[in-house]
Amino acid sequence: MSQTVPVRFADVDVGHELCTLTLTLSGEQVKRYAVVARMPGGRFMGDDDARKEGLPGQIVPGNLSMALFSRLIAESFPGATLKRLGATFRGLVRPGYALLIRGVVTEKHSSDHGDFIECDLILESAEGDRWVTGTATVRLA
Amino acid sequence: MAIEFDRSIIGSEFDRTVFDPVTAEEAREYAAASTESSAAEGVTSPTFVVRLRGRRFMPANLPDLGRMGFDAGKDIEFGVAVRVGDVLTAVSTVHDIYEKTGRSGTMKFLVLRTTVTNQRAEQVAVIDQKMMFR
């Protein structure tokens, strides 16, 4: 369940686990994202177009995986500001498969610019295959 | 063997595009499709910047890196928030070209850096996109 109260820097320790998002993207959702995000390529549009490109079927754009990481941060730390987001696309993410998106706080630091946490992020299958890994820097309120 | 290419390509600008003002409809559509939320009314969701596509996706004078690769990863450093009505400019450069050998063989990487600013010349985002070639 999403929290609505801002999370304070003092209340977060290294090792703090972010909430887990569990979802399954539909082919239509992926296509819609690709259109709105102006992603070229049939691989995002449907299975037939993707197979013409030598893929096993429609795939999820890496940018959408990053958006899911961004959503994870927003739901885990309401009121926080995302300062940096990085992702490595390790495997093909496909619509129709259950996805688990989770993360953990790995570091805390403060400067004149504010209080920050570093997070490791994972997008994986229900079987634990890590399809996308990422890191984020977040400024807490 | 290391990739041979004219290193003057590193840092060279290959695209500069000024986009139409961000509309409320674009911001809403992107937030809905990405399932992200925006921080405040009139502000886009964070990854909205990835939808900015310049006129040229790749530099014309790119060395031969092999078979067309795929998106291997991305790093976005966020600056000031994007607001409805902002006129954004994206400038793309070749940031790096390198080779890496792993268990599956040798791969070549191209890193394209896109710096996005608004009409007040404030930095909105720096996006490093890593493309992998075999």
Side-chain angles (χ1 to χ4, degrees):
Chain A
M1 193 174 75
S2 299
Q3 299 174 10
T4 53
V5 179
V7 176
R8 295 184 312 159
F9 185 68
D11 295 336
V12 178
D13 292 318
V14 170
H16 173 96
E17 291 192 4
L18 282 61
C19 63
T20 300
L21 298 180
T22 306
L23 54 91
T24 303
L25 294 167
S26 70
E28 193 51 43
Q29 268 182 296
V30 171
K31 181 179 176 181
R32 182 74 198 136
Y33 177 84
V35 170
V36 169
R38 300 172 178 165
M39 306 283 302
R43 61 187 64 181
F44 308 127
M45 294 298 157
D47 286 338
D48 290 344
D49 288 337
R51 287 186 191 116
K52 284 178 194 160
E53 296 186 20
L55 293 163
Q58 184 185 16
I59 62 169
V60 175
N63 288 344
L64 180 50
S65 297
M66 293 191 79
L68 294 174
F69 279 155
S70 169
R71 175 179 160 191
L72 175 70
I73 296 291
E75 293 193 8
S76 299
F77 304 109
T81 305
L82 185 58
K83 297 305 293 178
R84 191 193 59 77
L85 180 63
T88 301
F89 309 133
R90 300 157 57 101
L92 299 178
V93 181
R94 304 277 311 277
Y97 289 81
L99 304 175
L100 271 71
I101 302 121
R102 58 190 180 86
V104 64
V105 175
T106 58
E107 195 183 325
K108 294 177 69 174
H109 52 96
S110 296
S111 73
D112 293 344
H113 301 292
D115 296 324
F116 299 87
I117 56 170
E118 304 290 332
C119 302
D120 278 355
L121 309 169
I122 295 166
L123 183 153
E124 63 187 358
S125 70
E127 291 75 33
D129 298 314
R130 294 185 174 188
W131 287 329
V132 186
T133 56
T135 57
T137 305
V138 182
R139 186 173 65 213
L140 294 185
Chain B
M1 194 173 74
I3 314 166
E4 289 181 18
F5 64 96
D6 179 358
R7 295 204 67 83
S8 67
I9 194 174
I10 304 296
S12 62
E13 179 182 318
F14 65 89
D15 188 71
R16 179 180 290 261
T17 301
V18 180
F19 297 88
D20 290 336
V22 175
T23 68
E25 189 183 356
E26 284 175 318
R28 257 195 316 271
E29 273 188 347
Y30 185 85
S34 68
T35 78
E36 275 183 297
S37 56
S38 58
E41 185 67 29
V43 173
T44 68
S45 51
T47 67
F48 179 85
V49 290
V50 301
R51 77 189 285 280
L52 300 172
R53 297 207 154 256
R55 281 185 293 270
R56 194 175 293 148
F57 178 62
M58 285 278 186
N61 53 343
L62 197 64
D64 180 17
L65 296 174
R67 204 150 50 87
M68 180 57 198
F70 59 88
D71 198 354
K74 197 163 279 176
D75 199 277
I76 309 172
E77 187 186 319
F78 298 98
V80 299
V82 176
R83 296 176 182 283
V84 169
D86 277 356
V87 176
L88 302 176
T89 300
V91 176
S92 297
T93 59
V94 177
H95 185 62
D96 200 5
I97 297 174
Y98 62 94
E99 204 171 61
K100 206 169 164 182
T101 301
R103 278 178 296 183
S104 59
T106 299
M107 294 159 288
K108 292 165 185 164
F109 292 90
L110 166 68
V111 183
L112 303 176
R113 173 167 287 184
T114 300
T115 302
V116 184
T117 53
N118 64 18
Q119 68 279 14
R120 291 177 295 278
E122 296 166 323
Q123 191 166 286
V124 163
V126 178
I127 306 166
D128 282 351
Q129 180 175 7
K130 192 189 290 184
M131 305 289 296
M132 192 186 89
F133 299 78
R134 283 188 188 277

